[in-house]
Amino acid sequence: MKHELKKTLVLLPLVAALAACGGGGGDGSPVDTTRSADGAGTGQPATDGDTKDTPATPTTPATPAVVELFHISPRGTTARYLLLGTSLQSTGALETLEQQPTGGVVAMNAHTLTGPDLSVADIAGDETFAQGRWAKGTALAAGSTSTLGGARNAAYHYVVHLPASHLPAGGTLRCDAGTFTRPSVISNPSAPALGVATGSAALSFNDAGAVVDVSLTATAGHRTGTVSTTGRTIAPGASAVTGNFFSQGDGMMLTLGDSGNGKFRIIAAYEVTAGGDAAYRGIATFLCAR
């Protein structure tokens, strides 16, 4: 790990809808905040001065980008969603879902992406999760409408997943290299609009729940920044917040998804300052198994 976030861990029960949050990730901060704001980690770094993303073609390709479409409510399980924008952090119970045949999610409850040329990038998923980035179209999120695909390429990052409400009493799992949306800039008009994310994660269990280590690095042009944490405990059905994630500063919101057959997925929504002068946001997930 390049550094350890020094803010105190916050354990928060996931709730279906939360109010706007103006403070940091301290005790009592809500998990769900609505504050008016290609492939997994395979995109090339944007260079300084880049202002546009290259969205996927809106026509349906012959082969979906996911293993299987997400199952919103298997065996009575209530799915969850997380939507991250320039100044938006929204999470809660997933009541309705619209997913394209290619795997891109274009509606989560009242949050929607529409338009004849809409584009969902960084698509990944299977029956237990779906992940991506709204890159082009008309986004309606938290009651506000914005046009994506313009000069600064405003974006929304999302993940939907099945919650991990039952955890092992002990043991250690090995996590994969991660699946990432391309981080999008939320400050500094001279910084590249998009970067590339990499990272690593570890997962173990004890009587208190899941214990995670996560390190994420965003690179955009010559700018690089890392956010990390070690030994963070996530109780069943809860999330953990590190740093100043809820007050538009470096940090993460961590939760755990159930991928079936004893596998779990670490989900990290994050913000990181790259190069000391540009903040980027994105979502990373890590599949962990024996």
Side-chain angles (χ1 to χ4, degrees), residues 100-262:
Q100 298 173 313
T102 54
V105 173
V106 294
M108 294 163 284
N109 298 352
H111 309 297
T112 61
L113 179 68
T114 58
D117 59 347
L118 70 83
S119 174
V120 182
D122 309 335
I123 297 171
D126 58 25
E127 68 275 18
T128 66
F129 90 111
Q131 179 177 336
R133 171 172 52 89
W134 290 354
K136 190 174 183 181
T138 300
L140 174 61
S144 297
T145 301
S146 57
T147 300
L148 308 182
R152 289 306 298 155
N153 194 46
Y156 287 92
H157 308 256
Y158 71 82
V159 62
V160 297
H161 68 281
L162 302 179
S165 55
H166 302 286
L167 305 181
T172 299
L173 303 185
R174 177 175 297 180
C175 301
D176 67 7
T179 301
F180 310 89
T181 61
R182 291 189 67 181
S184 55
V185 71
I186 63 170
S187 66
N188 192 338
S190 66
L194 293 170
V196 171
T198 57
S200 61
L203 175 63
S204 61
F205 300 94
N206 60 27
D207 291 342
V211 181
V212 302
D213 300 345
V214 176
S215 180
L216 300 169
T217 297
T219 301
H222 67 270
R223 297 172 172 85
T224 297
T226 297
V227 62
S228 61
T229 188
T230 58
R232 301 296 179 175
T233 300
I234 305 175
S239 67
V241 176
T242 72
N244 293 316
F245 181 76
F246 275 149
S247 55
Q248 291 192 294
D250 286 15
M252 293 180 278
M253 188 176 79
L254 303 165
T255 192
L256 203 64
D258 188 344
S259 291
N261 299 317

Side-chain angles (χ1 to χ4, degrees), residues 60-118:
T60 302
T63 303
V66 298
V67 176
E68 186 175 345
L69 294 183
F70 178 69
H71 295 178
I72 184 171
S73 185
R75 302 178 302 279
T77 301
T78 300
R80 311 287 303 182
Y81 80 91
L82 192 156
L83 184 65
L84 185 67
T86 301
S87 57
L88 173 75
Q89 302 143 333
S90 181
T91 183
L94 183 63
E95 299 171 353
T96 59
L97 171 79
E98 183 179 346
Q99 188 173 19
Q100 298 173 313
T102 54
V105 173
V106 294
M108 294 163 284
N109 298 352
H111 309 297
T112 61
L113 179 68
T114 58
D117 59 347
L118 70 83

